[in-house]
Amino acid sequence: MRQVWSDERKFQIWLEIEVLACEAMAALGQIPKKDAEEIRNRARFSIPEILEIEKRTNHDVIAFLENVAASVGPAARWIHQGLTSSDILDTALAVQLTESAKILLDDLQKLRATIGNQARRFKMTPMIGRSHGIHAEPITFGLKLALMFDEFGRAEERLRQTNERVRVGKLSGAVGTHAYLDPAVERSVCEKLGLKPATISTQIVQRDRHAEFSTTLALIASSIDRWATEFRHLQRTEVLEVEEFFGEGQKGSSAMPHKRNPITGERLSGLARVIRGNSVTALENVALWHERDISHSSAERIILPDSCTLLDYMLVKLNELVEGLQVYPERMEQNLELTKGLYFSQAILLALTNAGMERKNAYEAVQRAAMRTWKGEGTFAENAKREPEIASRLSPAEIDRLCSLDIHFKHVDPTFKALGLD
């Protein structure tokens, strides 16, 4: 990813755009073919020389053009013919974003493969599901990871879709009218770069495209944040159902030698805030004056490379986190037992209504048994059997049958199959 956003790669793309434009004009008979060949064979650039020229010109594209022209000779008069700076800048940016998207898509595919492997491994490992941070009903750790697998599938889908809308170049001149450059040149150059020509443009490609790309990266970063936060919560000492890998010689605290902190998850949550902030800047860049102003340019030189590079790093680190996750099924079982079967309350409630009891009365009867359990008066099943309104409709054997994990896991296999995880 660093190479995609390097000065070397940027100037390589700029040069290729200029050369391809000359070759397209030569094919149309607009410039001599021998001059286009001369440009292809001789055109070179030197980054130190470009930077030195820019000190004088205070214009990066002009500095680049002067430097390239010096390597070509008389045929250089055709370079940048009919073009404006943004023709080069925006088309090159589209190439860089497309190359970045390919890297990020590869990261997502590797991440989903890792998540899928872990989901299958812990497919039927029971744990408590939580709502509001409070014990709710049983799930499996595999189901939790299957949900993660599904979420990053949507991330992959969104990135593919938005990449199609940002994979757009333009060579249409100062205000987008193709006044001095045949649209055929634009089509030829974009095709050879793997881009689509903009259907219509001003001096620039419209920034709603780049804002969508940035917000897509922010959404993916937010999904990373969501799962980093999940694993951080599950690592809390009071929970400790999973834990980040802690390596030999690793240290958790400068003051407390016993600490094993979820530092990777915390790092990912922090970096997600940066990418979300960058997406706000990208949205601000949509509203430019008339056929363009330059207020977007300075911001994009920071937010686009940074967001792509950060997200690449975050996806790699999340993949490492999931792959090395320490999972503690015994602790999950212990936590399941903390509430003495309270999570079977809905099973009893539904059985009572199925037996003809009004829902309000059934709810209150089950709640009474549950509240006794909360206060430490035995298990929920025992208290359900002692509750007269429940006992009058459900036998002890039926209550025992309803207080079973099997009820909660009967649809795990079809869910995995629907996700392609079977």
Side-chain angles (χ1 to χ4, degrees):
M1 185 67 79
R2 185 182 296 113
Q3 174 60 29
V4 170
W5 294 101
S6 67
D7 282 346
E8 179 73 24
R9 180 60 183 144
K10 178 182 72 174
F11 289 130
Q12 283 174 354
I13 303 169
W14 286 15
L15 184 60
E16 186 63 13
I17 293 168
E18 294 285 4
V19 172
L20 287 174
C22 289
E23 290 174 341
M25 287 186 283
L28 293 171
Q30 296 173 350
I31 69 172
K33 288 188 177 181
K34 63 179 180 62
D35 285 355
E37 291 171 0
E38 187 79 357
I39 292 167
R40 168 64 74 182
N41 293 331
R42 296 177 60 87
R44 301 289 185 274
F45 63 83
S46 165
I47 295 176
E49 291 176 15
I50 292 170
L51 297 178
E52 191 62 32
I53 296 169
E54 190 177 351
K55 291 178 183 177
R56 167 174 52 81
T57 63
N58 200 26
H59 195 293
D60 54 355
V61 175
I62 292 176
F64 167 79
L65 292 171
E66 282 192 19
N67 179 246
V68 171
S71 70
V72 172
R77 69 186 183 279
W78 304 116
I79 296 175
H80 210 65
Q81 183 85 343
L83 299 176
T84 190
S85 295
S86 289
D87 289 326
I88 308 305
L89 296 172
D90 277 8
T91 304
L93 181 58
V95 173
Q96 289 174 298
L97 292 175
T98 300
E99 291 176 349
S100 297
K102 289 178 181 176
I103 294 172
L104 296 174
L105 286 167
D106 184 58
D107 290 340
L108 283 166
Q109 289 171 355
K110 290 177 181 175
L111 173 62
R112 293 190 78 216
T114 299
I115 298 168
N117 289 337
Q118 293 285 54
R120 284 185 285 265
R121 178 183 175 192
F122 297 105
K123 179 179 179 179
M124 299 305 295
T125 302
M127 67 181 297
I128 191 65
R130 297 171 173 90
S131 59
H132 305 276
I134 307 300
H135 285 206
E137 292 185 346
I139 61 170
T140 73
F141 189 55
L143 276 175
K144 188 181 287 286
L145 292 174
L147 185 74
M148 184 184 188
F149 178 86
D150 189 43
E151 182 167 351
F152 282 101
R154 291 192 299 278
E156 186 178 342
E157 180 183 4
R158 287 190 192 101
L159 185 55
R160 290 188 189 281
Q161 291 172 345
T162 192
N163 185 50
E164 285 303 301
R165 284 185 281 277
V166 82
R167 189 173 61 86
V168 170
K170 59 88 61 180
L171 281 81
S172 56
V175 290
T177 58
H178 295 93
Y180 304 108
L181 195 72
D182 195 304
V185 174
E186 179 181 67
R187 289 194 297 270
S188 174
V189 172
C190 287
E191 180 183 351
K192 287 177 174 148
L193 291 171
L195 306 178
K196 299 177 291 185
T199 308
I200 184 173
S201 58
T202 58
Q203 190 175 114
I204 59 168
V205 172
Q206 298 307 288
R207 258 43 198 177
D208 63 285
R209 297 179 184 274
H210 305 79
E212 181 186 4
F213 186 89
S214 294
T215 53
T216 298
L217 300 194
L219 266 173
I220 298 172
S222 293
S223 288
I224 294 173
D225 186 10
R226 178 261 191 272
W227 288 101
T229 300
E230 177 71 26
F231 297 136
R232 288 164 58 198
H233 276 305
L234 294 178
Q235 186 169 335
R236 285 178 298 143
T237 307
E238 296 81 1
V239 179
L240 202 57
E241 293 175 346
V242 303
E243 187 178 26
E244 287 185 17
F245 176 78
F246 195 85
E248 184 70 27
Q250 184 174 337
K251 304 294 186 286
S253 166
S254 64
M256 297 170 284
H258 71 279
K259 294 297 291 297
R260 292 161 65 104
N261 302 326
I263 57 171
T264 300
E266 291 172 333
R267 188 185 310 156
L268 293 174
S269 290
L271 293 176
R273 297 167 191 168
V274 175
I275 296 182
R276 284 194 292 266
N278 287 350
S279 73
V280 173
T281 302
L283 291 168
E284 296 286 347
N285 284 345
V286 173
L288 302 177
W289 287 17
H290 307 299
E291 278 58 58
R292 67 90 58 124
D293 64 56
I294 203 173
S295 60
H296 64 287
S297 177
S298 55
E300 285 179 355
R301 293 172 193 235
I302 299 170
I303 64 172
L304 293 176
D306 281 9
S307 290
C308 290
T309 304
L310 276 177
L311 190 59
D312 179 28
Y313 171 81
M314 291 168 69
L315 288 167
V316 170
K317 296 307 291 184
L318 182 60
N319 185 63
E320 292 175 359
L321 191 159
V322 174
E323 191 170 42
L325 203 61
Q326 307 297 293
V327 181
Y328 304 123
E330 300 84 1
R331 185 56 177 258
M332 293 177 179
E333 184 178 351
Q334 291 171 12
N335 288 340
L336 270 169
E337 294 171 356
L338 283 176
T339 59
K340 300 180 180 180
L342 278 173
Y343 43 77
F344 295 126
S345 66
Q346 184 173 190
I348 304 297
L349 170 64
L350 296 179
L352 290 173
T353 57
N354 287 336
M357 195 172 181
E358 288 187 9
R359 183 178 177 86
K360 178 178 180 297
N361 294 335
Y363 189 102
E364 290 174 352
V366 174
Q367 190 176 44
R368 284 193 295 272
M371 292 306 105
R372 283 195 293 273
T373 308
W374 272 114
K375 293 175 182 177
E377 300 177 19
T379 68
F380 174 71
E382 291 169 346
N383 286 318
K385 293 172 185 175
R386 294 175 189 145
E387 178 62 38
E389 289 194 68
I390 297 176
S392 67
R393 294 181 182 265
L394 301 176
S395 69
E398 180 66 5
I399 291 173
D400 287 337
R401 186 190 70 80
L402 292 168
C403 293
S404 166
L405 291 176
D406 294 341
I407 292 173
H408 296 274
F409 302 154
K410 61 187 177 182
H411 296 299
V412 171
D413 283 336
T415 299
F416 269 63
K417 185 174 182 179
L419 290 169
L421 287 171
D422 54 334

